[in-house]
Amino acid sequence: MVHIGHSSDVEPRVYHDGEVVRNVEKRVLVGPGNAAPTFSMRKFTVGADGCSPYHTHPWEHEVYVLAGRGEVRFAGGSRPVAPGDFAFVPPNDEHQFVNVGDEPFEFLCMVPLDGEDG
Amino acid sequence: MVHIGHSSDVEPRVYHDGEVVRNVEKRVLVGPGNAAPTFSMRKFTVGADGCSPYHTHPWEHEVYVLAGRGEVRFAGGSRPVAPGDFAFVPPNDEHQFVNVGDEPFEFLCMVPLDGEDG
């Protein structure tokens, strides 16, 4: 059955160790809990001075920026991103998402089910 | 390699027969053209009085509403949607996306590669 909800009604999981990952909230909007068969849709909110870890893994990301000012860092460079921008991170490419503004940096990040840790 | 772009720089494909599908633009932000291995990310813009077809297919949709006022119609009902809302349409469920406002109704719609017609 079709399931519809509002993203702010989904409880976030917080990621923060004060160093490699800071001020990150993840909301799994659609995923294993909905019996999604192929991939998950997650919404990330990265607070001021926040970032995801600089890391790599064997699955891809497909990202769409919703709000704020961010930077995508990757092997050999970085790029500023703003609402309406999108990013494709292929499997095994190093990457990091960093808030470089004063407001929350929000983006959707879709992954195949292999990349969803719940 | 990481690929970053702006959604408005992607050429749209237009769907409009004046009846079952009206005033729909689709932009494939990430898909087969990027060698995406699992699923595609598309941005749809449905103009005033526009709609996608009421139909079904054997793959799922994962949808996030970006702008405007829409309605999701499905077997047995319908629901209004607004920015920040998300929807999961399981495989084989009937569904339609309708613009019920005056402004463009914009949403992301992710599908497994099987559901991407290019």
Side-chain angles (χ1 to χ4, degrees):
Chain A
M1 175 155 180
V2 174
H3 172 70
I4 295 172
H6 192 78
S7 50
S8 63
D9 293 334
V10 176
E11 272 306 302
R13 180 168 170 178
V14 176
Y15 297 80
H16 179 81
D17 70 5
E19 296 190 25
V20 301
V21 56
R22 298 191 304 270
N23 304 331
V24 174
E25 289 183 354
K26 178 174 86 165
R27 289 172 171 83
V28 180
L29 305 185
V30 180
N34 311 88
T38 314
F39 59 95
S40 285
M41 174 167 61
R42 304 95 52 86
K43 182 174 182 176
F44 285 85
T45 302
V46 182
D49 192 41
C51 63
S52 67
Y54 187 84
H55 68 172
T56 182
H57 41 64
W59 55 85
E60 75 273 25
H61 282 324
E62 298 188 16
V63 168
Y64 186 91
V65 178
L66 299 169
R69 292 178 50 235
E71 189 172 87
V72 183
R73 297 178 183 167
F74 45 86
S78 67
R79 275 277 298 273
V81 289
D85 285 337
F86 63 88
F88 174 58
V89 180
N92 301 309
D93 265 44
E94 298 172 354
H95 58 279
Q96 181 181 37
F97 297 88
V98 181
N99 186 346
V100 296
D102 299 322
E103 302 298 317
F105 171 41
E106 296 184 344
F107 57 92
L108 296 180
C109 177
M110 278 62 71
V111 292
L113 291 184
D114 287 350
E116 186 53 70
D117 62 1
Chain B
M1 176 157 179
V2 173
H3 172 71
I4 295 172
H6 193 76
S7 49
S8 62
D9 293 333
V10 176
E11 271 307 301
R13 179 167 172 180
V14 175
Y15 297 81
H16 179 80
D17 70 5
E19 295 190 26
V20 301
V21 57
R22 299 192 304 270
N23 305 331
V24 174
E25 290 183 355
K26 179 175 86 165
R27 291 171 169 84
V28 180
L29 306 185
V30 180
N34 310 89
T38 314
F39 59 95
S40 285
M41 174 168 60
R42 303 95 52 86
K43 182 175 181 174
F44 286 86
T45 303
V46 182
D49 193 40
C51 62
S52 67
Y54 187 84
H55 69 172
T56 181
H57 41 64
W59 55 83
E60 76 273 26
H61 282 325
E62 298 187 16
V63 168
Y64 187 90
V65 178
L66 298 169
R69 290 179 49 235
E71 188 171 89
V72 183
R73 297 178 185 168
F74 46 86
S78 67
R79 274 278 298 272
V81 289
D85 284 337
F86 63 89
F88 173 59
V89 181
N92 302 309
D93 265 43
E94 297 172 355
H95 58 279
Q96 181 181 35
F97 297 88
V98 182
N99 186 345
V100 295
D102 300 322
E103 302 298 317
F105 171 42
E106 297 185 343
F107 57 92
L108 296 179
C109 177
M110 279 60 73
V111 292
L113 291 184
D114 286 351
E116 187 52 71
D117 62 359

